[in-house]
Amino acid sequence: MGKCEGRCTLLVICSLQLVAALQRQVFDFLGYQWAPILANFLHIMAVILGMFGTVQFRFRYLIFYAVWLVLWVGWNSFIICFYLEVGNLSQDRDFLMTFNTSLHRSWWMEHGPGCQVTPVLDSRMAPDDHHVITVSGCLLDYQYIEVLSSAIQILLALFGFVYACYVSKVFQDDEDSFDFIGGFDSYGYQPPQKSSHLQLQPLYTAG
């Protein structure tokens, strides 16, 4: 019963992670955020692998999924620090999310709740193929939307890590127990054979 509850809970967590990652992937595509797009793709693959391992009782897949979640927590922690400009990080100077290939920002910068975008015409600050805008009236700035999204990812990853370790431990214990009773013995159980001490003697006939 406990194993079933752990598996079902882990599948629910993986499903929530998959939905949250797909939603995030859509908005990162809209904002041309290439680094998060790549990270999201790897995360989606790892979550699918974790779900497969949970359904198919493959504890090694769950271990890989758990290790990836540690990296995922680190990545989302970096995103939080980036948007809050912790330390020397600066959104105005560092365009890490686009691999320094463009000046695009988060999609939420212009499309956040309540945001009003006003283009600045004839601005000398705009590089080629770009335009300058002013954003006002946002109920929640885009930085905090990105931080909230990363915080949700970290929370789901922590729950997923705990349950992945628990379920993989249960799978491994069951496999060891099955090995002990000969469940995986491809040759099957063979009873010991009695050794014969009967010696053959030559037979002589009168000719």
Side-chain angles (χ1 to χ4, degrees):
M1 184 66 179
K3 181 176 71 173
C4 179
E5 291 179 355
R7 289 178 61 215
C8 294
T9 304
L10 183 56
L11 286 175
V12 170
I13 294 174
C14 288
S15 299
L16 293 176
Q17 285 182 311
L18 199 58
V19 171
L22 291 173
Q23 172 265 335
R24 191 179 192 180
Q25 186 78 313
V26 170
F27 293 115
D28 286 337
F29 262 114
L30 294 174
Y32 303 99
Q33 305 294 292
W34 303 120
I37 287 171
L38 177 60
N40 292 335
F41 175 77
L42 296 176
H43 180 60
I44 291 172
M45 294 298 101
V47 171
I48 293 176
L49 191 63
M51 297 178 73
F52 177 80
T54 303
V55 174
Q56 296 295 326
F57 298 91
R58 304 291 181 88
F59 77 93
R60 291 181 180 84
Y61 291 172
L62 291 179
I63 293 299
F64 174 82
Y65 166 71
V67 171
W68 166 256
L69 289 182
V70 175
L71 301 177
W72 186 242
V73 168
W75 167 250
N76 283 277
S77 300
F78 168 76
I79 292 180
I80 291 176
C81 294
F82 177 78
Y83 280 106
L84 294 181
E85 297 186 341
V86 176
N88 294 326
L89 295 174
S90 174
Q91 298 180 56
D92 296 328
R93 184 184 69 251
D94 302 323
F95 297 94
L96 302 177
M97 298 303 166
T98 60
F99 292 129
N100 291 322
T101 58
S102 70
L103 301 179
H104 288 95
R105 301 293 183 86
S106 170
W107 182 82
W108 295 105
M109 181 179 182
E110 302 179 28
H111 304 87
C115 291
Q116 297 180 355
V117 179
T118 303
V120 178
L121 302 177
D122 299 330
S123 175
R124 298 180 179 179
M125 297 175 57
D128 294 338
D129 300 329
H130 287 77
H131 61 278
V132 176
I133 60 173
T134 59
V135 182
S136 60
C138 296
L139 299 179
L140 186 64
D141 291 338
Y142 74 97
Q143 298 98 322
Y144 302 112
I145 296 178
E146 295 288 355
V147 167
L148 181 61
S149 176
S150 295
I152 294 175
Q153 295 287 343
I154 292 176
L155 183 63
L156 291 174
L158 292 177
F159 280 108
F161 178 82
V162 172
Y163 275 93
C165 293
Y166 167 72
V167 174
S168 62
K169 183 64 169 59
V170 172
F171 287 174
Q172 188 175 15
D173 291 343
D174 290 348
E175 183 175 324
D176 293 341
S177 176
F178 203 43
D179 276 335
F180 179 75
I181 64 176
F184 292 135
D185 188 1
S186 59
Y187 297 100
Y189 174 75
Q190 297 179 356
Q193 298 178 356
K194 294 182 179 180
S195 59
S196 175
H197 298 286
L198 180 63
Q199 297 182 357
L200 299 178
Q201 300 293 336
L203 181 63
Y204 297 96
T205 59

